[in-house]
Amino acid sequence: MSHRHSIFCILPPHMLDQIAQNGTTAQRDMAVKTLASSKQVRDNRLNMLTAAMSGTFAVTGTKQRTIYDAKFGTTLPGTVVRREGDAPTQDVAVNEAYDYCGATFDLYSAVFGRNSIDNRGMDLKSTVHYDKGYDNAFWNGQQMVYGDGDEDMPVAQRLFNRFTISLDVIGHELTHGVTQYEAGLVYQNQQGALNEAVSDIFGSLVKQYQRGQTADAADWIIGEGLFTSNVRGVGIRSMKAPGTAYNDPVLGKDPQPAHMKDYITTTQDNGGVHINSGIVNHAFYVTAINIGGYAWEKTGQIWYKSLTEKFTSISNFQNAADLTFQAAGEIFGIGSLEQVAVKTGWTEVGINVDSTPSPIPLPGGEGCLKGLMRSLGLVK
Amino acid sequence: MMQIHFERTGGFMGRNIALDLDLSSLPPDQAAALKLLVDESDFFNLTELRPENPMPDGFVYSITVETETNKHTIHASELKFPQRLRPLLNDLLSRTRTR
Ligand SMILES: [Zn+2]
């Protein structure tokens, strides 16, 4: 899933540079490959190059959207029904997928200077009308996929509308692509819940940005409009008040916790990735409210920097807390209002920021440096 | 005797769905139809699939069929789900969606 070499973790690029210059041929090759696979280094260099060439910092491009129709089957991607620049079709799902995908691209481009999912202008592919009675949307590693909810049932029995109906759902799915190309967060347990939270966070920011809403004016609901009027609920998740989005006789109650003391340990849903994400979602919400104004401007910047430059594939909640705190300090200054707000956000959900984060161990308990040295053949 | 345990986990909502069916307690025509779907999928000869990397928001399905002589489980994501098991999957899914 992750394109990033696992040994990169938190090893400073200058050490890799050192090896690249002074190691044996095999060691150099490995170090160069590792350096090249680091988005951080690559983007810094790209940004420097672009800044030198044009005098601007942001790297933006034009969007290339293609919408496919699975015609209620499960073959991906399906038949092309709308390409970039084509006029709207008669099909509302096609137009929503097109427009909301565009709105998501625009937020990433205008606010974060990002050129599409991979920051290299990747084509944005979406398939609508996936399967029959399909109450879901997903990212398959290459594209976004949307079902039509309970379209095959009598209206009085339907619980779900089409999944393209909600702008933040589309922002959520596209962000799974961004995460895949950046931190590459493992989709399991706390790493998976952080991956989920990142998708909810940027999904919500897309909606707030499009509506021009400040943090205190936004509803912070994920999946607004997905439920039909037969369901007692306002959406799938609430970042403002996790656990309160729905309470329905058929669907049950929103199971999200808002605090570490209610963290749910389970083997279902890859370790409860859609449940425990509520904790991180809420930390983001509290930070955004305390900073005030438009959430994408400051809190969004802190998280974008963290996602693209700091998080690794195995970052857990504590690590995310420490690294977002660090990122806020780098952008707004040590002890700044913004950095304090990040700390307060995490405290509110039961996580105390450690201002001097310790290195995260590699999976299997191997230290980062040792893992690197092993990969380079320097130790056995 | 035939018992079927069906489970779906994951998805955008992360809501788990489980269904237990004892064919002997179903109307005979329904039990016969389900048994036919199991037989047609050649269920007990389907090989266990290798674990995959989880796909963001994707569903993962698990079907266990138990008879007097056999017990077998197939566990797979929706994209890797065996095609010949689709008719049985669709039947089980539709049962979980009946309100
Ligand atoms: Zn997701």
Side-chain angles (χ1 to χ4, degrees):
Chain A
M1 185 102 124
S2 170
H3 73 296
R4 180 181 286 187
H5 202 286
S6 65
I7 60 172
F8 191 73
C9 45
I10 52 160
L11 201 93
H14 66 83
M15 281 191 66
L16 289 165
D17 276 326
Q18 193 82 356
I19 297 165
Q21 282 162 27
N22 304 325
T24 65
T25 312
Q27 289 165 358
R28 273 205 309 271
D29 287 347
M30 176 62 92
V32 167
K33 219 187 283 174
T34 307
L35 272 169
S37 74
S38 158
K39 279 293 296 173
Q40 183 182 348
V41 173
R42 192 165 71 221
D43 285 357
N44 284 348
R45 289 181 181 166
L46 185 62
N47 284 341
M48 280 191 286
L49 186 67
T50 312
M53 283 164 62
S54 65
T56 60
F57 184 76
V59 185
T60 53
T62 52
K63 45 186 174 279
Q64 279 302 324
R65 288 164 287 183
T66 311
I67 314 297
Y68 301 83
D69 188 344
K71 297 176 178 167
F72 304 101
T74 55
T75 305
L76 291 173
T79 313
V80 176
V81 282
R82 190 173 173 191
R83 291 183 201 276
E84 188 63 45
D86 287 353
T89 68
Q90 298 297 311
D91 186 329
V92 65
V94 170
N95 297 334
E96 283 167 346
Y98 184 91
D99 291 343
Y100 296 168
C101 181
T104 306
F105 178 98
D106 290 345
L107 171 88
Y108 275 110
S109 173
V111 177
F112 306 116
R114 184 180 189 84
N115 185 8
S116 192
I117 288 172
D118 61 351
N119 204 12
R120 293 173 152 198
M122 179 178 172
D123 289 357
L124 301 165
K125 294 179 181 169
S126 312
T127 295
V128 298
H129 305 310
Y130 179 80
D131 209 349
K132 285 187 264 303
Y134 189 73
D135 301 335
N136 201 23
F138 63 90
W139 163 259
N140 78 344
Q142 286 102 45
Q143 66 156 107
M144 294 154 275
V145 183
Y146 304 96
D148 276 351
D150 297 327
E151 89 288 343
D152 59 337
M153 298 181 84
V155 173
Q157 289 179 27
R158 291 180 194 171
L159 303 180
F160 293 95
N161 288 314
R162 60 184 184 278
F163 272 63
T164 48
I165 205 167
S166 195
L167 173 57
D168 52 74
V169 171
I170 289 178
H172 176 112
E173 295 310 328
L174 197 150
T175 300
H176 275 310
V178 174
T179 298
Q180 178 183 312
Y181 279 90
E182 296 292 348
L185 282 157
V186 171
Y187 203 67
Q188 191 90 34
N189 300 332
Q190 276 197 20
Q191 292 73 17
L194 180 59
N195 187 325
E196 268 305 307
V198 165
S199 272
D200 278 353
I201 286 166
F202 287 95
S204 182
L205 291 182
V206 173
K207 190 167 84 173
Q208 294 175 35
Y209 181 69
Q210 209 207 33
R211 294 180 177 182
Q213 289 174 325
T214 53
D216 57 349
D219 63 15
W220 297 92
I221 295 295
I222 301 297
E224 183 191 15
L226 276 190
F227 289 139
T228 66
S229 56
N230 299 323
V231 176
R232 283 183 217 156
V234 290
I236 307 287
R237 291 182 278 277
S238 167
M239 299 177 68
K240 183 176 181 174
T244 68
Y246 61 92
N247 191 353
D248 180 79
V250 179
L251 291 173
K253 188 184 172 297
D254 174 3
Q256 281 211 313
H259 194 280
M260 280 307 281
K261 68 175 161 44
D262 301 315
Y263 186 93
I264 290 170
T265 305
T266 171
T267 55
Q268 294 173 350
D269 188 25
N270 298 304
V273 296
H274 295 89
I275 297 176
N276 294 313
S277 55
I279 295 168
V280 180
N281 280 354
H282 194 58
F284 182 95
Y285 163 80
V286 173
T287 301
I289 288 291
N290 284 338
I291 291 178
Y294 297 118
W296 62 85
E297 285 186 345
K298 288 180 173 177
T299 323
Q301 288 294 350
I302 292 165
W303 273 79
Y304 184 74
K305 186 181 177 69
S306 301
L307 177 67
T308 55
E309 297 176 20
K310 296 186 178 294
F311 292 173
T312 71
S313 63
I314 54 168
S315 288
N316 58 16
F317 289 6
Q318 181 66 54
N319 192 233
D322 299 343
L323 294 174
T324 49
F325 182 76
Q326 206 181 78
E330 288 169 17
I331 303 171
F332 300 106
I334 306 294
S336 60
L337 179 150
E338 292 81 2
Q339 199 191 26
V340 172
V342 169
K343 188 171 187 156
T344 308
W346 288 108
T347 309
E348 197 94 345
V349 302
I351 295 170
N352 293 312
V353 166
D354 179 355
S355 46
T356 54
S358 50
I360 336 160
L362 283 172
E366 194 167 62
C368 187
L369 182 58
K370 189 158 177 224
L372 174 73
M373 289 169 73
R374 179 196 299 280
S375 302
L376 295 174
L378 297 172
V379 294
K380 284 199 171 160
Chain B
M1 171 277 227
M2 183 178 278
Q3 287 175 339
I4 300 175
H5 176 72
F6 170 62
E7 214 174 310
R8 190 192 78 189
T9 178
F12 184 85
M13 198 174 171
R15 189 170 72 100
N16 212 62
I17 285 174
L19 178 72
D20 277 298
L21 291 174
D22 185 342
L23 267 57
S24 64
S25 60
L26 289 177
D29 57 325
Q30 276 194 39
L34 261 171
K35 190 171 179 310
L36 187 65
L37 288 176
V38 172
D39 291 346
E40 282 177 348
S41 73
D42 200 11
F43 191 82
F44 294 106
N45 289 318
L46 283 166
T47 44
E48 192 58 69
L49 299 149
R50 275 180 296 155
E52 321 157 35
N53 278 337
M55 181 175 68
D57 302 321
F59 286 134
V60 176
Y61 301 112
S62 163
I63 301 177
T64 301
V65 179
E66 188 174 1
T67 66
E68 288 92 343
T69 49
N70 270 319
K71 184 175 180 181
H72 189 49
T73 299
I74 288 294
H75 181 88
S77 81
E78 54 190 314
L79 292 192
K80 297 283 168 64
F81 209 79
Q83 273 307 318
R84 67 178 204 240
L85 207 45
R86 278 264 165 197
L88 177 62
L89 173 69
N90 289 338
D91 182 281
L92 295 171
L93 270 175
S94 68
R95 287 169 189 273
T96 68
R97 296 175 70 227
T98 310
R99 321 266 190 244

